[in-house]
Amino acid sequence: DEVTLQLKWVTQAQFAGYYVAKDKGFYEEEGLDVTILPGGPDIAPTQVIAGGGADVTVEWMPAALAAREKGLPLVNIAQPFKRSGMMLTCWKDAGISSPEDLKNRTLGVWFFGNEFPFMSWMSQLGIDTSGKSENGVEVLKQGFNVDPLLQRQADCISTMTYNEYWQVIDAGVSPDELVTFKYEDQGVATLEDGLYVLEDNLSDPAFVDKMVRFVRASMKGWKYAEENPDEAAEIVLENDATGAQTEEHQKRMMREIAKLTAGSNGALDPADFERTVNTLLAGGSDPVITKKPEGAWTHQITDAALN
Amino acid sequence: MMVGLAILLWLAGWWLNTRLASGPYADTRAVRILAPLIFGLTVIGVWELLVRGLEVPLVILPAPSVIWDRFWDSLPILWADFVQTIIKGALSGYVIGCGAAFLMAIAVDRWDFLRLGLLPVGNFVAALPIVGTAPILVMWFGFDWHSKAAVVVVMVFFPMLVNTVAGLREATAMQRDLMETYAATYWQSFLKLRLPAAMPFIFNGLKISTTLALIGAIVAEFFGSPTLGMGFRISTSVGQLSLDMVWAEIVVAALAGTAFYGLVAMIEKLVTFWHPSQRG
Amino acid sequence: MGSVIEAKNLDLTFQTNDGPVHALKDVNLAIDKGEFVSFIGPSGCGKTTFLRCVAALETPTGGTLTVNGMTPDEARRNRAYGYVFQAAGLYPWRTIAKNIKLPLEIMGYSAQEQEERVKNVLELVDLAGFGEKFPWQLSGGMQQRASIARALAFDADILLMDEPFGALDEIVRDHLNEQLLALWARTGKTIGFVTHSIPEAVYLSTKIVVMSPRPGRITDVIDSPLPKERPLDIRDTPEFIEVAHRVREGLRAGHEDDV
Amino acid sequence: MGSVIEAKNLDLTFQTNDGPVHALKDVNLAIDKGEFVSFIGPSGCGKTTFLRCVAALETPTGGTLTVNGMTPDEARRNRAYGYVFQAAGLYPWRTIAKNIKLPLEIMGYSAQEQEERVKNVLELVDLAGFGEKFPWQLSGGMQQRASIARALAFDADILLMDEPFGALDEIVRDHLNEQLLALWARTGKTIGFVTHSIPEAVYLSTKIVVMSPRPGRITDVIDSPLPKERPLDIRDTPEFIEVAHRVREGLRAGHEDDV
Amino acid sequence: MKQLVAVLTVLLAIVVIWYAACIPMNIKGVLTEQERAGAEVVPPSAKDRRDMGEIGLALRNSFAIPATWAQDRPRLPAPHQVAIELWETTVQKKITSKRSLVYHGWVTLSATILGFAIGTGLGILLAVGIVHSRVMDLSVMPWAIVSQTIPIIALAPMIIVVLYSIGIQGIIPKAVISAYLSFFPVVVGMVKGLRSPDAMQLDLLRTYNASNSQVFWKLRLPASMPYLFASLKIGIAASLVGAIVGELPTGAVAGLGARLLAGSYYGQTVQIWSALFAAAILAACLVGLLGLIERAVLKRMGMAQR
Ligand SMILES: Nc1ncnc2c1ncn2[C@@H]1O[C@H](COP(=O)(O)OP(=O)(O)OP(=O)(O)O)[C@@H](O)[C@H]1O
Ligand SMILES: Nc1ncnc2c1ncn2[C@@H]1O[C@H](COP(=O)(O)OP(=O)(O)OP(=O)(O)O)[C@@H](O)[C@H]1O
Ligand SMILES: [Mg+2]
Ligand SMILES: [Mg+2]
């Protein structure tokens, strides 16, 4: 059976589990022929799956819930990432030590669906995001790299524990020059990389069966990657068509990713879901979602796959 | 059903235009305006019917009516984006880029050595995919409109330079000899002959640059921007699957582009009223 | 040395990609003040080139050329020339009056003087009332008259005309020829005039220079026996036909080799 | 009804932005087979328009026009016309031979016949050996002869020529005139010929049509008393000058109002 | 010859300016690095340096100037850094390697050529339609102009997704964008070219009673060739831009655009610049190649005089 998987971002260790599963033949064992489509800065995985370009996609929950409210019925069928890797990284010498110090600063934030946790964090802190002021911050739409921080165009930027943060370090900055605020620690973490499919498809037993096998194999891939991070990183490198990734960076990323997937067997923890929803509902003046979503996740697949 | 209606509408629109084009008023101004209008309306009608008929998901292609609603509902946002991107980014870059190119063209025209040396290099640079410079310029000039203006400057500079240089060489040998027999100075012959003769070319460059300026300003916003601007809105709206918003921005871009182009074309008509292409 | 224009052994060779072109070779000619000199000859014989040398638009590669006892370039800087080209060459973005003002602006005449002179020359060439029109609103003949007016507006001693009527039809041409003669009589300027038409050359000139190509040289200089007063009918007189015949013979001689 | 071309009360009015232009008004003319008819008149008098009507390139707004007893458009579809324009208008991307083949290809002659005809007409116009050259490699006069060859290559009864020699210099023109006369004598075609030059019209024609503008009409039709055999010298004979004089008078009469 | 000297002089001037510009552009980064490495820098804190003039900084810390030309991740890489990167990624890598610019260039080139072929084909067809049908001329031509004011580049991601949704992937989405960009210049040039025969040339064929298709093949088409080539040269450059833009949103997969993006993503400025130059060289080669074809064709047609 053929399955097309749309990734959220470019080929990197963040998706090691899927590449490992493919490379190690876990998918094949399940009788699946999986095509992995890399994402990119301007690809919305939700849009791809809506158009029928993929069967299943890796997406973050805020974006998936937002799409659901827009009328695209996405359902979470598995959640390999237990913890959130997003954080805000700031210059220490700018005088920032606690979230309160963020006021009157310039902050770089990712948009394209990734801005939601930030917005709800700010609204929890009671910080206005429409411009620099005594009680407000200036928000920049951050590009794909860490230049805004290095060039000191922003005091803080969004980073992932497994990727951008290390790019800052690679640029020669030492960790003690930096201050980081993990969303996980601030209580505004939202669920990241999960697997989503269209709701309608779940009423088709053949599709459900396919997904069960897919999730089973993928989780096998993830657990293998957690145990063999270096090998997993090399597999990822082999699948990177740009030739831009470095081995060192990917190996380190794999080790960081392993921290996030650890503790997940693939099944979504409803408590995490509740927390995510609550965070999003508190999203300030322009909330991502306006009401509690119903039926946005299911254990139907994971129950079958993992037992 | 809707699809059939769409086909019918298409045929009707085409038939109407055929009638207009071969009718007795084919050469009048009214038909010149009417025919493309009918064509445009037909396309919009067909689009609406097809989207409804084929039940195309909103997140792939919204129907024109949806876009229309979104457009009217979001006027303040669209206006703010317009000011940020078009007025601040595109327009300032356009003025600076075209102005600089004009001055450079005078220098190139004045010193033959520059023309020989700079033009080939200029042509090479013009072949550069300027979009690629956007991330670099954003890195250099920051996130606000300055970097957008810088991208626009780079994009319009060479088309404008090449056109102006060609225009300044446009005066015929005879016209230049005439100036020679009057023993006119360089600047006299520049102001009274070469500059007016170059006007059609200069305006050609200015017209090409209008669309380039818009594209440059919008694309540069993809590589970093404040939380404002047409490029910002387009990319974040795609992320939020608000495709109606994306298309509303596209409508703004097309309107602004057409108006900008039309304005320059109008000024051209006033300034180069004497040129055969304008006398029609 | 009473000549206004004097050429001695004038040579001009163009270096082109296909080798040198001898546009003028060993040209000797003296033109006196107030003469009307026509240059006639087949295409490429160097008529234009000679006129351009006189106006310092081209630099001879050999021989000497003096204008009013100066070099042509000095004469140019003294604004000695009015030059009329084959096409009227009016600037389309200027009205007729403004076109005529062009040399006056460049030479720094006062605004008031400019107005006066424009008015005068427009009358001289029968174009009074057309000053505010744009060139394309006028017929070819009228445009050509405007370009002559432009050359007359400032006080150049020497009027050089390179096939000024080549693009006009015969009737208009006859008319302009008549007017040009009248003008010449009134102003007493020295005129160098290039043409391809034998009757035109004979009708207008006090001196006809017949040239021949490869290399461009003068094969004949004919002094016209016709009186200064010349009605158009003069072209049917035997004297006229006689001179025209001589010119045609001269032309044919230098034209043997090709068509 | 022995006429090849017969116009009765022909009218043609162009509707322009500046109001209607009466290009032809009440034109009556009959041209017999084998005649050489010249049209002369000031610019804008409708010479070109008349020729275009004959060739069905323009549709008259009044009166009747028949060609070989048919409408012009039927005659056009029977390929009755060879048309020669002022500029040679050869296609720069075709060699001379290929240019001459153009009408033959369109009319579907066989390849072999095409070759033969090209060879014949090239000889007829003295261009044998130039077939493989491109137009720009030839002088203006040669190009014009090639364009005549193109009009001769197929069997059109009627040759219409609109100022074919207008852009050439007088000597080349004389030569081509001579050749055209010889050609006409040899082929016996009916020729309609527009010119601005009085000597040319008189030298070539059996019939000279003098026209006058606003509205375009025929003011005089002069049958030439000159013999069929015409050396170039004939232009210095009293008969010639007499006819030329009459043409000029006719022209001047219709030209009073402007220049 | 004279031209060569002039071009070389201008190039030399550019290189000199470039090296000079590296100093102020990179000095802050260099000073930060030097500071970390333990060098004595005035003023000593990065925060103080932030708002200072670059030239003043460079003068006060002149020992750091050579380092501005040898940074790892400079704001502006020095010319030799770009040249070395270009050399290493083209000549010294196997062309099948994913790190070889030749490989990425080829990926982009194939999309460019496909898009260019589609765009040119459609453009010519539309031009033929516009010239032959007054309806199309009246109703379609104005929209062809308006279509150019739409920032297609901004829409590239959507186009790609929409095409994904109907099952089209790989090279074709890129080619579609590059076709869209190359299509307009071709239409405009070709319409101009097909209309370039003057009334006299058209009348001539009318006197021969030639059919419409004969007029097209024997007159309009050959007469349009110079115009066609002029617009093809613009079109191919536009195609390349389209292909590169099309590679940006599909994520860093392969191609010069992906290379640019990856460079930008990882802050590898040298890589961005070398990808840019590779693109420009590719564009110059394509335009040059078309120029050669143009010369050959026009010469065969006898339209290139001398
Ligand atoms: N700038 C130039 N460079 C090279 N050759 C030239 C140049 N100008 C003129 N020639 C050549 O010099 C010769 C004389 O040219 P010139 O224009 O004086 O002839 P002309 O008698 O005025 O001819 P026409 O009657 O065609 O105007 C010609 O062979 C011409 O090709
Ligand atoms: N297509 C047209 N539309 C409008 N007016 C026209 C058109 N063709 C010719 N005319 C006008 O008709 C009149 C006769 O024109 P025509 O070209 O026949 O003159 P002509 O005698 O050939 O002049 P010339 O000697 O300048 O060639 C002119 O006033 C001209 O402006
Ligand atoms: Mg000349
Ligand atoms: Mg005519």
Side-chain angles (χ1 to χ4, degrees):
Chain A
D1 293 341
E2 289 184 2
V3 173
T4 308
L5 170 68
Q6 172 68 50
L7 300 183
K8 183 175 175 55
W9 193 247
V10 300
T11 303
Q12 57 182 6
Q14 183 187 358
F15 310 107
Y18 312 107
Y19 284 108
V20 168
K22 185 174 161 84
D23 215 65
K24 288 280 159 194
F26 301 161
Y27 288 134
E28 218 171 302
E29 286 166 19
E30 298 283 354
L32 293 174
D33 175 12
V34 176
T35 310
I36 302 178
L37 300 176
D42 293 316
I43 289 283
T46 46
Q47 205 187 5
V48 175
I49 196 168
D55 301 309
V56 52
T57 175
V58 175
E59 184 51 286
W60 289 7
M61 183 158 284
L65 292 182
R68 195 174 169 86
E69 219 178 75
K70 281 264 164 6
L72 180 71
L74 287 179
V75 176
N76 179 301
I77 56 165
Q79 186 62 40
F81 275 44
K82 174 80 179 154
R83 293 166 54 85
S84 157
M86 190 144 56
M87 58 185 184
L88 206 60
T89 300
C90 309
W91 284 115
K92 194 179 268 174
D93 63 8
I96 299 173
S97 54
S98 77
E100 284 303 309
D101 298 331
L102 292 177
K103 287 176 186 166
N104 215 1
R105 308 269 173 198
T106 305
L107 313 180
V109 176
W110 287 313
F111 277 77
F112 214 72
N114 303 348
E115 70 273 32
F116 306 127
F118 172 81
M119 293 298 174
S120 56
W121 183 30
M122 286 297 119
S123 98
Q124 279 182 16
L125 290 171
I127 294 180
D128 179 35
T129 55
S130 58
K132 252 185 193 174
S133 71
E134 272 312 298
N135 199 29
V137 291
E138 184 179 357
V139 177
L140 295 180
K141 180 199 166 211
Q142 179 181 331
F144 332 110
N145 60 36
V146 297
D147 281 338
L149 189 74
L150 297 180
Q151 309 289 345
R152 288 182 179 267
Q153 289 162 333
D155 301 298
C156 305
I157 59 167
S158 305
T159 57
M160 300 305 290
T161 53
Y162 47 82
N163 190 359
E164 286 79 7
Y165 177 75
W166 296 104
Q167 290 184 33
V168 178
I169 302 298
D170 281 348
V173 180
S174 75
D176 38 282
E177 289 177 81
L178 300 169
V179 176
T180 60
F181 301 100
K182 291 193 180 165
Y183 285 36
E184 196 76 43
D185 301 339
Q186 302 299 325
V188 290
T190 51
L191 283 170
E192 289 168 6
D193 303 28
L195 292 172
Y196 293 81
V197 299
L198 288 176
E199 190 165 340
D200 301 348
N201 290 337
L202 288 175
S203 51
D204 171 10
F207 182 79
V208 170
D209 175 54
K210 213 160 65 169
M211 281 304 116
V212 168
R213 285 181 279 146
F214 174 73
V215 169
R216 195 185 300 140
S218 299
M219 287 319 295
K220 201 169 159 191
W222 272 117
K223 294 307 149 194
Y224 186 92
E226 271 174 36
E227 282 153 24
N228 309 289
D230 286 357
E231 188 186 347
E234 266 158 29
I235 291 174
V236 169
L237 276 177
E238 269 165 39
N239 282 283
D240 166 36
T242 52
Q245 312 277 14
T246 62
E247 195 176 323
E248 179 201 7
H249 184 62
Q250 290 303 314
K251 286 186 174 164
R252 192 171 51 204
M253 184 187 289
M254 187 59 235
R255 281 192 292 274
E256 290 293 332
I257 290 285
K259 292 182 194 162
L260 304 181
T261 55
S264 169
N265 60 358
L268 176 79
D269 178 350
D272 291 343
F273 175 76
E274 285 303 315
R275 190 192 61 213
T276 300
V277 169
N278 288 335
T279 301
L280 294 178
L281 278 174
S285 56
D286 187 18
V288 191
I289 51 174
T290 53
K291 54 181 186 294
K292 281 202 185 260
E294 298 293 333
W297 58 275
T298 175
H299 278 166
Q300 184 188 358
I301 306 287
T302 39
D303 285 348
L306 305 173
N307 299 316
Chain B
M1 230 288 282
M2 296 268 202
V3 179
L5 220 60
I7 295 173
L8 222 68
L9 183 65
W10 178 259
L11 292 177
W14 196 250
W15 174 81
L16 194 62
N17 264 346
T18 317
R19 283 295 303 268
L20 276 178
S22 51
Y25 304 107
D27 274 325
T28 57
R29 231 183 126 79
V31 168
R32 274 182 189 288
I33 295 172
L34 212 57
L37 223 56
I38 292 174
F39 181 78
L41 289 176
T42 313
V43 169
I44 290 177
V46 169
W47 173 358
E48 178 88 34
L49 289 171
L50 283 183
V51 167
R52 283 165 190 266
L54 300 176
E55 292 177 352
V56 177
L58 179 80
V59 296
I60 295 293
L61 184 67
S65 55
V66 178
I67 298 170
W68 181 253
D69 289 345
R70 166 59 61 196
F71 183 83
W72 286 111
D73 290 347
S74 323
L75 277 183
I77 295 182
L78 293 176
W79 172 252
D81 290 346
F82 171 81
V83 170
Q84 169 75 14
T85 306
I86 310 278
I87 308 277
K88 289 190 187 159
L91 216 55
S92 61
Y94 181 80
V95 170
I96 298 171
C98 290
F102 180 75
L103 295 180
M104 182 59 111
I106 294 175
V108 166
D109 183 65
R110 179 83 223 243
W111 293 287
D112 218 35
F113 190 76
L114 270 185
R115 189 175 58 79
L116 285 176
L118 198 63
L119 275 196
V121 178
N123 281 329
F124 177 78
V125 178
L128 260 169
I130 303 288
V131 237
T133 62
I136 297 171
L137 291 171
V138 170
M139 178 169 101
W140 288 355
F141 293 97
F143 279 59
D144 210 350
W145 59 270
H146 307 95
S147 60
K148 318 305 175 284
V151 173
V152 173
V153 168
V154 178
M155 279 188 90
V156 302
F157 186 80
F158 286 101
M160 183 67 188
L161 177 69
V162 170
N163 269 288
T164 309
V165 169
L168 289 176
R169 303 175 63 77
E170 175 62 9
T172 60
M174 191 186 91
Q175 289 173 323
R176 261 175 277 160
D177 283 346
L178 187 68
M179 283 302 193
E180 193 89 333
T181 64
Y182 299 153
T185 62
Y186 173 85
W187 288 109
Q188 279 176 330
S189 101
F190 178 80
L191 280 178
K192 294 191 192 294
L193 171 60
R194 259 124 23 89
L195 190 58
M199 277 305 163
F201 284 76
I202 292 177
F203 271 98
N204 199 21
L206 286 175
K207 282 196 289 191
I208 296 172
S209 297
T210 54
T211 48
L212 288 179
L214 290 201
I215 292 173
I218 292 175
V219 170
E221 286 181 353
F222 280 38
F223 294 88
S225 64
T227 53
L228 189 69
M230 299 171 72
F232 165 79
R233 194 76 55 200
I234 289 177
S235 72
T236 50
S237 298
V238 172
Q240 298 170 351
L241 294 189
S242 317
L243 279 251
D244 45 353
M245 190 67 192
V246 174
W247 282 95
E249 291 283 358
I250 291 171
V251 171
V252 173
L255 283 180
T258 312
F260 195 4
Y261 186 95
L263 185 73
V264 175
M266 217 166 72
I267 299 174
E268 174 183 29
K269 222 175 168 75
L270 289 179
V271 174
T272 65
F273 63 93
W274 48 269
H275 198 257
S277 67
Q278 300 292 340
R279 272 186 261 140
Chain C
M1 251 283 169
S3 308
V4 176
I5 301 171
E6 190 155 6
K8 279 204 189 111
N9 302 322
L10 203 64
D11 271 351
L12 199 155
T13 311
F14 288 110
Q15 298 302 338
T16 70
N17 290 339
D18 307 343
V21 173
H22 297 279
L24 291 176
K25 184 150 179 72
D26 245 349
V27 169
N28 288 291
L29 189 70
I31 298 176
D32 289 337
K33 188 163 167 49
E35 269 195 294
F36 195 125
V37 184
S38 285
F39 297 83
I40 195 166
S43 198
C45 69
K47 307 180 291 294
T48 298
T49 306
F50 182 74
L51 237 55
R52 290 173 60 83
C53 284
V54 173
L57 296 173
E58 219 69 80
T59 315
T61 50
T64 58
L65 179 64
T66 56
V67 176
N68 288 332
M70 298 178 264
T71 66
D73 206 51
E74 283 162 349
R76 179 175 72 86
R77 272 189 253 115
N78 284 334
R79 282 144 178 173
Y81 307 110
Y83 205 109
V84 181
F85 297 89
Q86 170 151 21
L90 299 170
Y91 292 177
W93 54 86
R94 284 177 168 243
T95 60
I96 299 299
K98 283 244 186 149
N99 261 293
I100 296 173
K101 264 186 207 161
L102 176 72
L104 305 176
E105 286 169 12
I106 288 173
M107 298 175 189
Y109 285 76
S110 73
Q112 193 206 336
E113 174 129 29
Q114 289 182 18
E115 291 298 335
E116 262 169 38
R117 281 175 179 254
V118 168
K119 197 160 158 288
N120 284 343
V121 289
L122 275 178
E123 265 162 27
L124 209 64
V125 296
D126 256 357
L127 280 178
F130 287 91
E132 291 317 305
K133 292 257 189 282
F134 279 97
W136 71 83
Q137 298 172 314
L138 267 54
S139 76
M142 290 160 101
Q143 288 184 30
Q144 200 58 47
R145 277 184 287 161
S147 90
I148 293 172
R150 185 175 57 184
L152 293 174
F154 56 102
D155 304 307
D157 297 345
I158 303 169
L159 200 54
L160 301 173
M161 308 173 90
D162 192 356
E163 291 189 61
F165 308 139
L168 304 178
D169 76 46
E170 197 142 344
I171 319 295
V172 178
R173 216 163 153 158
D174 280 359
H175 185 82
L176 289 180
N177 280 345
E178 248 183 313
Q179 291 193 310
L180 181 60
L181 269 188
L183 224 155
W184 169 62
R186 233 177 308 161
T187 59
K189 298 202 187 229
T190 312
I191 298 186
F193 187 93
V194 170
T195 180
H196 269 131
S197 160
I198 300 171
E200 189 169 78
V202 178
Y203 176 67
L204 290 171
S205 325
T206 57
K207 187 181 252 170
I208 300 159
V209 179
V210 181
M211 300 180 68
S212 135
R214 258 154 283 156
R217 71 217 117 96
I218 295 178
T219 49
D220 202 357
V221 177
I222 301 160
D223 282 302
S224 172
L226 300 181
K228 252 204 144 173
E229 197 65 38
R230 299 177 188 180
L232 277 172
D233 292 349
I234 204 169
R235 292 181 294 190
D236 297 334
T237 62
E239 291 91 350
F240 188 95
I241 291 167
E242 163 65 34
V243 179
H245 198 82
R246 191 169 151 205
V247 173
R248 185 172 293 132
E249 287 307 310
L251 279 174
R252 190 131 351 131
H255 212 284
E256 227 63 284
D257 31 347
D258 68 359
V259 178
Chain D
M1 251 285 170
S3 307
V4 175
I5 300 171
E6 190 155 6
K8 276 201 190 115
N9 300 324
L10 204 65
D11 270 353
L12 200 156
T13 311
F14 287 110
Q15 299 300 341
T16 70
N17 290 340
D18 308 341
V21 173
H22 297 278
L24 291 176
K25 183 148 182 73
D26 246 348
V27 169
N28 287 291
L29 189 69
I31 298 176
D32 289 337
K33 191 164 165 49
E35 268 195 295
F36 196 125
V37 183
S38 284
F39 296 83
I40 194 165
S43 196
C45 68
K47 306 179 294 292
T48 298
T49 306
F50 183 74
L51 236 58
R52 290 172 61 84
C53 284
V54 173
L57 294 174
E58 218 68 77
T59 316
T61 48
T64 59
L65 179 64
T66 56
V67 176
N68 290 330
M70 298 178 267
T71 67
D73 206 50
E74 282 163 349
R76 179 175 72 86
R77 274 191 246 114
N78 284 334
R79 286 150 174 166
Y81 308 111
Y83 205 110
V84 181
F85 296 87
Q86 169 151 20
L90 299 170
Y91 291 179
W93 55 87
R94 284 173 170 249
T95 60
I96 297 300
K98 284 244 185 152
N99 260 293
I100 297 173
K101 263 185 207 161
L102 176 72
L104 304 176
E105 287 169 11
I106 287 173
M107 297 174 188
Y109 286 77
S110 74
Q112 193 206 335
E113 174 130 28
Q114 288 182 20
E115 291 298 336
E116 263 168 38
R117 281 178 178 252
V118 168
K119 197 160 159 288
N120 284 343
V121 289
L122 275 179
E123 265 161 26
L124 212 62
V125 297
D126 255 0
L127 280 179
F130 286 93
E132 292 317 305
K133 291 260 190 281
F134 280 100
W136 47 269
Q137 296 172 312
L138 267 55
S139 75
M142 289 159 100
Q143 288 184 30
Q144 200 57 46
R145 278 184 287 162
S147 90
I148 294 172
R150 184 174 59 182
L152 293 174
F154 56 101
D155 303 308
D157 298 344
I158 302 168
L159 199 56
L160 301 173
M161 308 174 89
D162 192 357
E163 289 191 62
F165 307 140
L168 305 178
D169 77 45
E170 197 143 344
I171 319 293
V172 177
R173 213 162 158 161
D174 280 358
H175 186 82
L176 288 180
N177 279 344
E178 247 182 314
Q179 290 192 309
L180 181 59
L181 267 188
L183 225 156
W184 171 62
R186 236 177 305 163
T187 59
K189 298 204 186 227
T190 310
I191 298 186
F193 187 93
V194 171
T195 179
H196 269 131
S197 159
I198 301 171
E200 190 170 76
V202 179
Y203 177 68
L204 290 171
S205 327
T206 56
K207 188 181 250 169
I208 299 158
V209 179
V210 181
M211 298 180 70
S212 133
R214 254 153 288 155
R217 71 216 119 93
I218 295 179
T219 48
D220 202 358
V221 176
I222 303 160
D223 282 301
S224 174
L226 300 182
K228 254 208 146 176
E229 198 66 39
R230 301 178 187 179
L232 276 174
D233 291 350
I234 204 171
R235 291 181 296 187
D236 298 334
T237 62
E239 291 91 348
F240 187 96
I241 290 168
E242 163 65 33
V243 181
H245 198 82
R246 193 170 149 204
V247 174
R248 185 171 294 132
E249 288 307 310
L251 278 174
R252 191 131 350 131
H255 213 284
E256 227 62 287
D257 31 347
D258 71 356
V259 177
Chain E
M1 188 55 217
K2 201 176 153 206
Q3 169 128 30
L4 195 70
V5 174
V7 170
L8 288 179
T9 315
V10 167
L11 283 180
L12 190 72
I14 289 176
V15 169
V16 168
I17 294 172
W18 187 344
Y19 270 112
C22 284
I23 300 174
M25 289 298 280
N26 299 337
I27 189 76
K28 282 183 181 167
V30 165
L31 290 181
T32 311
E33 280 170 15
Q34 301 271 349
E35 184 190 356
R36 286 194 193 108
E40 214 40 39
V41 174
V42 268
S45 136
K47 197 157 172 284
D48 293 338
R49 290 195 297 267
R50 178 171 167 178
D51 299 318
M52 281 187 60
E54 280 87 358
I55 297 179
L57 273 179
L59 289 178
R60 286 214 251 160
N61 300 285
S62 51
F63 71 94
I65 287 178
T68 59
W69 298 317
Q71 252 189 313
D72 226 12
R73 296 154 61 105
R75 288 179 80 190
L76 175 62
H80 69 267
Q81 289 180 295
V82 177
I84 290 171
E85 168 84 5
L86 265 178
W87 176 259
E88 281 177 353
T89 49
T90 49
V91 182
Q92 296 190 342
K93 287 261 178 335
K94 274 219 312 278
I95 55 167
T96 51
S97 154
K98 285 168 184 167
R99 278 160 208 272
S100 161
L101 270 184
V102 179
Y103 163 78
H104 290 287
W106 167 248
V107 171
T108 303
L109 182 65
S110 50
T112 303
I113 290 178
L114 181 63
F116 179 65
I118 299 173
T120 310
L122 286 180
I124 292 177
L125 280 184
L126 189 65
V128 171
I130 284 174
V131 169
H132 281 98
S133 148
R134 215 176 133 59
V135 195
M136 282 185 78
D137 182 22
L138 276 177
S139 51
V140 180
M141 196 60 183
W143 288 103
I145 295 169
V146 173
S147 77
Q148 290 308 296
T149 65
I150 295 177
I152 182 71
I153 298 181
L155 301 184
M158 278 171 50
I159 292 176
I160 285 175
V161 167
V162 169
L163 288 176
Y164 262 25
S165 74
I166 48 175
I168 298 173
Q169 290 175 3
I171 190 177
I172 298 197
K174 287 195 265 173
V176 167
I177 293 166
S178 98
Y180 183 94
L181 287 184
S182 60
F183 146 93
F184 184 68
V186 174
V187 174
V188 172
M190 201 61 189
V191 166
K192 224 183 204 168
L194 290 175
R195 289 207 173 126
S196 67
D198 54 26
M200 191 191 90
Q201 289 177 313
L202 289 167
D203 282 344
L204 181 70
L205 289 186
R206 217 175 120 75
T207 67
Y208 299 155
N209 194 22
S211 67
N212 263 344
S213 72
Q214 282 173 326
V215 172
F216 179 78
W217 289 110
K218 295 204 187 290
L219 176 58
R220 287 190 192 273
L221 192 65
S224 70
M225 280 304 143
Y227 296 83
L228 178 63
F229 276 108
S231 45
L232 286 185
K233 283 194 224 161
I234 301 172
I236 191 113
S239 268
L240 183 66
V241 172
I244 288 175
V245 168
E247 282 163 359
L248 293 181
T250 45
V253 179
L256 291 176
R259 199 73 191 165
L260 262 175
L261 188 77
S264 162
Y265 183 39
Y266 297 106
Q268 301 285 354
T269 32
V270 182
Q271 190 182 322
I272 304 183
W273 282 85
S274 65
L276 261 181
F277 269 85
I281 291 167
L282 190 58
C285 289
L286 289 173
V287 172
L289 185 69
L290 271 175
L292 284 183
I293 298 175
E294 172 182 26
R295 283 251 299 273
V297 169
L298 292 190
K299 195 165 169 202
R300 266 205 72 189
M301 286 174 68
M303 283 166 92
Q305 312 203 351
R306 254 147 288 248

